[in-house]
Amino acid sequence: MEENQKGYNSSEYEEDNDYQYQQPDANKSIRGYRIVIIILSVVLVALSILYYSIHRQQMADNILLQADRDSIQNELGQLVTDYDNLRVSNDSLSADVTIQREKADSLMTRLKKERSWNLAKIKQYEKEVGTLRTLMKGYIRQIDSLNTLNKQLISENVGFRKEISTANLRADMAEEKAAELDNKVKVGSVIKARAISLKALNAHSKEVSRIKNASRLLVNFSLMANDLATPGNRKIYVRINHPDGYLLTTADMPSFEFEGQRLGYSAMREIDYQNQDIEVGIYFNSKGFVAGTYLVELYTDGRLIGKAQVPMR
């Protein structure tokens, strides 16, 4: 019985020993799992933080890209407006401005259609807009220079016009004075006739007392001396107007020019005038004279040089 008791206890002891040996191994496994779980949890948390950070960075980058895109679009829109507001009078410069304006429109179209944005494209668009802006500033400087030059030319032109106007005014005044002086000379150079008389003569050139018996009329007068007159031959025209008002003339009805029109005359004589007093007589042959007052007019050099009303019995 004791052996049995001893044998039973021995077996039970062995089982306890086996349990004691197995328990540390199980604890180690559990601890290993725990460590793995903790490591995995840490990795998962790290990955989550990294994903969140990357996602947040992407969101921030997208916001910045959108802001850059809006900024470029706004700047380009303002640039297009500035090109539209340019006023260019120079043909060559105007053609260049038109080309750059079309490039700005094309760039705006590309920008609106762009769907994939990144930093490289932003920089590319910024470079193109910057080029257009630089060209715009150059055009503005050229236009300002041209406007300044135009203003200077206009000012000089106005000055020249004033000088020309003043010179023309002086020339006109000088011409008027010259014309006035010339007219005075012409007036002063006119030969005057004085002592105009009318006599009735018969066929033998004897004076008769009654004009109805006359066969011819004699107009006597004196041409006055005038140093301003040009010496030389002169044609003296005489017009004898009948008491009834009509002109006494011949069948040929001769005429001369006076102030742009033709005037008939009764008789004409050519004389040699040498700036001295000279007595002149001109005959008019006709018949059928009547008593009354006759008007005698004398012309030469296209001017009226004397006239007189002569009563005849």
Side-chain angles (χ1 to χ4, degrees):
M1 186 174 179
E2 288 178 357
E3 290 179 355
N4 291 335
Q5 185 69 35
K6 287 180 181 180
Y8 176 82
N9 292 335
S10 176
S11 174
E12 189 176 50
Y13 177 78
E14 289 178 357
E15 290 179 357
D16 290 339
N17 286 336
D18 290 338
Y19 176 78
Q20 289 176 359
Y21 287 125
Q22 290 176 357
Q23 188 172 4
D25 292 337
N27 290 335
K28 288 180 179 180
S29 297
I30 292 172
R31 283 197 300 273
Y33 287 138
R34 287 178 178 176
I35 291 171
V36 170
I37 291 171
I38 291 172
I39 292 172
L40 291 175
S41 298
V42 171
V43 171
L44 181 60
V45 170
L47 290 175
S48 298
I49 293 173
L50 179 63
Y51 172 78
Y52 176 75
S53 177
I54 293 174
H55 179 69
R56 185 172 63 179
Q57 184 63 40
Q58 288 178 343
M59 291 289 290
D61 291 342
N62 289 336
I63 292 173
L64 291 175
L65 288 175
Q66 183 63 40
D68 290 339
R69 176 184 175 180
D70 293 341
S71 176
I72 293 172
Q73 188 168 349
N74 291 334
E75 185 177 358
L76 185 57
Q78 182 60 48
L79 189 61
V80 170
T81 301
D82 292 341
Y83 270 106
D84 288 338
N85 291 334
L86 286 179
R87 295 292 179 267
V88 186
S89 57
N90 181 276
D91 292 339
S92 177
L93 185 59
S94 178
D96 290 344
V97 170
T98 300
I99 292 173
Q100 299 307 321
R101 172 67 171 78
E102 292 174 353
K103 288 184 179 180
D105 286 338
S106 176
L107 183 59
M108 178 65 79
T109 301
R110 284 167 46 204
L111 190 147
K112 289 181 178 179
K113 290 181 178 180
E114 187 68 62
R115 292 294 179 267
S116 177
W117 286 89
N118 54 48
L119 185 60
K121 288 185 178 180
I122 289 293
K123 290 186 177 298
Q124 177 185 347
Y125 281 116
E126 286 179 343
K127 182 179 179 180
E128 293 184 47
V129 172
T131 300
L132 290 173
R133 175 63 66 185
T134 300
L135 291 173
M136 163 67 74
K137 292 179 179 179
Y139 292 142
I140 292 175
R141 285 194 296 270
Q142 293 183 56
I143 292 172
D144 289 341
S145 297
L146 289 174
N147 289 337
T148 301
L149 180 60
N150 286 337
K151 289 179 180 178
Q152 181 179 354
L153 291 176
I154 290 173
S155 177
E156 292 178 356
N157 190 24
V158 170
F160 288 147
R161 286 185 177 180
K162 288 182 178 179
E163 291 179 5
I164 292 173
S165 178
T166 302
N168 289 338
L169 180 60
R170 291 175 179 172
D172 291 342
M173 292 176 64
E175 186 176 352
E176 289 179 1
K177 289 181 179 179
E180 182 180 353
L181 181 60
D182 183 61
N183 186 57
K184 288 181 178 179
V185 170
K186 287 181 179 180
V187 171
S189 65
V190 172
I191 303 171
K192 296 294 185 180
R194 61 181 177 82
I196 301 171
S197 65
L198 182 63
K199 292 182 178 181
L201 305 177
N202 59 20
H204 302 288
S205 297
K206 298 296 184 179
E207 186 174 0
V208 296
S209 59
R210 300 290 181 179
I211 194 172
K212 65 180 181 177
N213 298 324
S215 298
R216 63 194 316 194
L217 298 177
L218 173 60
V219 177
N220 287 318
F221 57 91
S222 296
L223 292 180
M224 300 170 60
N226 189 341
D227 292 334
L228 296 178
T230 303
N233 292 335
R234 293 287 197 285
K235 289 183 178 179
I236 309 298
Y237 300 94
V238 59
R239 284 168 53 93
I240 304 173
N241 291 281
H242 191 274
D244 291 335
Y246 61 84
L247 176 68
L248 299 180
T249 185
T250 63
D252 295 337
M253 300 183 67
S255 64
F256 66 97
E257 186 172 351
F258 175 72
E259 295 183 353
Q261 60 180 347
R262 302 299 298 184
L263 286 183
Y265 61 88
S266 305
M268 183 272 293
R269 180 181 172 185
E270 188 169 347
I271 64 162
D272 181 19
Y273 180 78
Q274 294 300 323
N275 306 96
Q276 297 177 354
D277 289 346
I278 181 173
E279 301 294 329
V280 182
I282 300 178
Y283 293 94
F284 172 68
N285 298 321
S286 187
K287 291 182 180 180
F289 300 111
V290 299
T293 300
Y294 287 78
L295 174 62
V296 179
E297 296 176 332
L298 297 171
Y299 294 84
T300 191
D301 297 334
R303 291 179 178 272
L304 174 65
I305 62 174
K307 62 181 180 178
Q309 289 184 336
V310 183
M312 301 294 290
R313 294 186 297 171

